[in-house]
Amino acid sequence: MMACVHDASKTIVKYEGREIRVANASGLALAEGVADCLIDLARLTSPPSQFILPGSDPRFLPLEKHLPREKSVRPPILLRLGWPDMAPPPVGVGLSFWRELWELLPVGITVIACEGGHGRSGTALAAMLIARGMDPEEAIEYVRRMHCRLAIETPGQEAYLRSLR
């Protein structure tokens, strides 16, 4: 069976001037070339330190404080969240987190990335849809239909999304 390559070439969600896409480790180089903001859920990246919001801050710090003015001379804004593979998000990352994150994302292309582009990325994408008002079941189905049928890999990730009502 051939592995999926999610390289951020496909917009999965478009709303309020923001486009959300997904990348896996294999597609990360291409993703970095198109992203205005990169949400790294698996610590795959290693750009210059001035573009890293440190650690696994559960609120990512308000992005406005970190936005460089000249897009053409900067790599994407990088946000990192320590999130173990095959697990739901870290403790304390609830619906308010995803609502706040959505509001802080810059207009343009945001790429959500993890190792395979399925579990963590799919769960994060569905959580952002739920934060925008979509029902959890509808969000899970939407992500699997529009992104990848393998997205949201574990019962724990599904249960987490259902808890975001």
Side-chain angles (χ1 to χ4, degrees), residues 89-108:
V91 173
V93 177
L95 189 57
S96 63
F97 169 83
W98 300 108
R99 286 181 179 146
E100 291 172 28
L101 176 60
W102 180 268
E103 293 305 319
L104 294 173
L105 292 179
V107 170

Side-chain angles (χ1 to χ4, degrees), residues 15-149:
Y15 187 76
E16 297 177 340
R18 296 170 178 100
E19 293 183 35
I20 310 296
R21 302 179 183 189
V22 174
N24 61 11
S26 299
L28 191 62
L30 292 170
E32 288 175 330
V34 300
D36 295 296
C37 180
L38 179 62
I39 301 174
D40 180 357
L41 303 174
R43 302 205 182 270
L44 301 171
T45 54
S46 57
S49 61
Q50 67 265 30
F51 296 105
I52 297 174
L53 300 183
S56 58
D57 177 25
R59 300 289 178 238
F60 286 129
L61 306 174
L63 291 178
E64 292 86 1
K65 296 177 184 176
H66 303 279
L67 291 172
R69 298 289 178 227
E70 299 291 326
K71 178 181 176 180
S72 61
V73 297
R74 67 162 173 85
I77 298 161
L78 175 63
L79 308 175
R80 289 180 163 184
L81 180 63
W83 182 338
D85 193 21
M86 304 301 284
V91 173
V93 177
L95 189 57
S96 63
F97 169 83
W98 300 108
R99 286 181 179 146
E100 291 172 28
L101 176 60
W102 180 268
E103 293 305 319
L104 294 173
L105 292 179
V107 170
I109 297 171
T110 293
V111 177
I112 301 171
C114 69
E115 187 68 34
H118 297 126
R120 291 170 281 192
S121 292
T123 302
L125 183 57
M128 292 179 81
L129 292 170
I130 295 165
R132 298 298 314 146
M134 194 177 279
D135 175 77
E137 296 301 325
E138 183 182 1
I140 292 168
E141 189 278 327
Y142 180 90
V143 168
R144 288 178 174 157
R145 180 173 37 88
M146 298 302 292
H147 166 49
C148 182
R149 63 179 179 76

